[in-house]
């Protein structure tokens, strides 16, 4: 099966305690076991442009007051997801049969999930820009910004040349 047809990570992932990187960007998966967010050695978890929302977390549904545990040393990137659009206020949520903005009910509707998104900045872009040839918006994700690697999408004046990662100093 291709990555785009992956609907859920296999259960065995939660037992991969030495796992350091997960990038399932491009997957159409809508379900995530919340235990994967707490893997002890996980450095980076990327699931960009995903169709996930507040109901996508297996082990968390119907228990919105449960603390959302995660490894605070992990860099989470879920920018472009439905969940992030809800968090940032560009998409409404349904709460008690009414459509509203999540920030208006964040203390009652999945408050710890809101706290996770807020604390990890996993929905935030570092910078957005338009290309010179106007091919559309470019995005430098916070997980790529100033990570010690020159990332092409962050190598712009607006993004401070990837926070200096793309600046090369040499003696001429």
């Amino acid at each position: 099966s291709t990555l785009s047809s992956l609907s859920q990570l296999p259960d065995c992932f939660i037992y991969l305690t030495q796992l350091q990187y997960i990038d399932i960007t491009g997957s159409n998966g809508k379900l995530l076991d919340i235990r994967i967010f707490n893997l002890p050695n996980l450095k980076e978890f990327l699931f960009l442009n995903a169709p996930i929302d507040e109901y996508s977390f297996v082990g968390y549904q119907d228990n919105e007051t449960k603390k959302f545990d995660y490894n605070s040393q992990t860099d989470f990137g879920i920018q472009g997801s439905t969940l992030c659009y809800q968090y940032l206020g560009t998409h409404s949520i349904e709460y008690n049969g009414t459509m509203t903005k999540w920030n208006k009910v964040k203390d009652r509707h999945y408050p710890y999930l809101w706290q996770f998104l807020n604390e990890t900045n996993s929905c935030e872009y570092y910078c957005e820009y338009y290309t010179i040839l106007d091919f559309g918006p470019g995005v430098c994700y916070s997980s790529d910004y100033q990570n010690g690697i020159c990332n092409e999408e962050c190598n712009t004046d607006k993004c401070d040349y990837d926070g200096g990662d793309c600046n090369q100093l040499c003696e001429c």
Side-chain angles (χ1 to χ4, degrees), residues 46-108:
L46 296 176
F47 194 17
L48 308 175
N49 305 313
I52 59 172
D53 59 22
E54 73 269 33
Y55 303 110
S56 296
F57 299 90
V58 175
Y60 197 69
Q61 295 125 324
D62 301 322
N63 195 357
E64 59 191 49
T65 58
K66 177 181 177 182
K67 180 110 171 93
F68 194 90
D69 291 325
Y70 64 93
N71 181 344
S72 63
Q73 302 303 307
T74 302
D75 185 15
F76 294 96
I78 55 175
Q79 296 91 342
S81 68
T82 303
L83 181 68
C84 287
Y85 291 135
Q86 292 168 334
Y87 171 77
L88 297 170
T90 57
H91 284 83
S92 295
I93 62 163
E94 185 175 341
Y95 179 73
N96 286 342
T98 306
M99 297 306 288
T100 186
K101 299 294 184 188
W102 193 5
N103 65 343
K104 293 181 179 180
V105 293
K106 66 183 178 188
D107 56 334
R108 299 179 302 274

Side-chain angles (χ1 to χ4, degrees), residues 21-62:
Y21 300 96
I22 299 175
D23 185 348
I24 53 176
T25 298
S27 166
N28 289 324
K30 275 198 63 104
L31 296 175
L32 291 171
D33 188 320
I34 61 169
R35 296 176 291 178
I36 205 160
F37 288 78
N38 217 8
L39 288 173
N41 293 301
L42 191 62
K43 295 181 187 324
E44 186 173 58
F45 178 89
L46 296 176
F47 194 17
L48 308 175
N49 305 313
I52 59 172
D53 59 22
E54 73 269 33
Y55 303 110
S56 296
F57 299 90
V58 175
Y60 197 69
Q61 295 125 324
D62 301 322

Side-chain angles (χ1 to χ4, degrees), residues 101-165:
K101 299 294 184 188
W102 193 5
N103 65 343
K104 293 181 179 180
V105 293
K106 66 183 178 188
D107 56 334
R108 299 179 302 274
H109 186 76
Y110 289 87
Y112 291 108
L113 181 56
W114 176 278
Q115 182 180 3
F116 161 77
L117 296 172
N118 190 50
E119 290 174 354
T120 62
N121 292 319
S122 53
C123 287
E124 303 296 327
Y125 299 111
Y126 175 72
C127 63
E128 295 179 81
Y129 55 90
Y130 283 89
T131 61
I132 292 173
L133 300 175
D134 201 24
F135 289 122
V139 175
C140 173
Y141 295 105
S142 56
S143 57
D144 291 330
Y145 179 73
Q146 203 172 18
N147 63 354
I149 300 167
C150 178
N151 297 285
E152 183 178 338
E153 63 277 4
C154 301
N155 189 15
T156 66
D157 182 45
K158 171 109 172 143
C159 297
D160 193 28
Y161 303 99
D162 200 356
D165 286 350

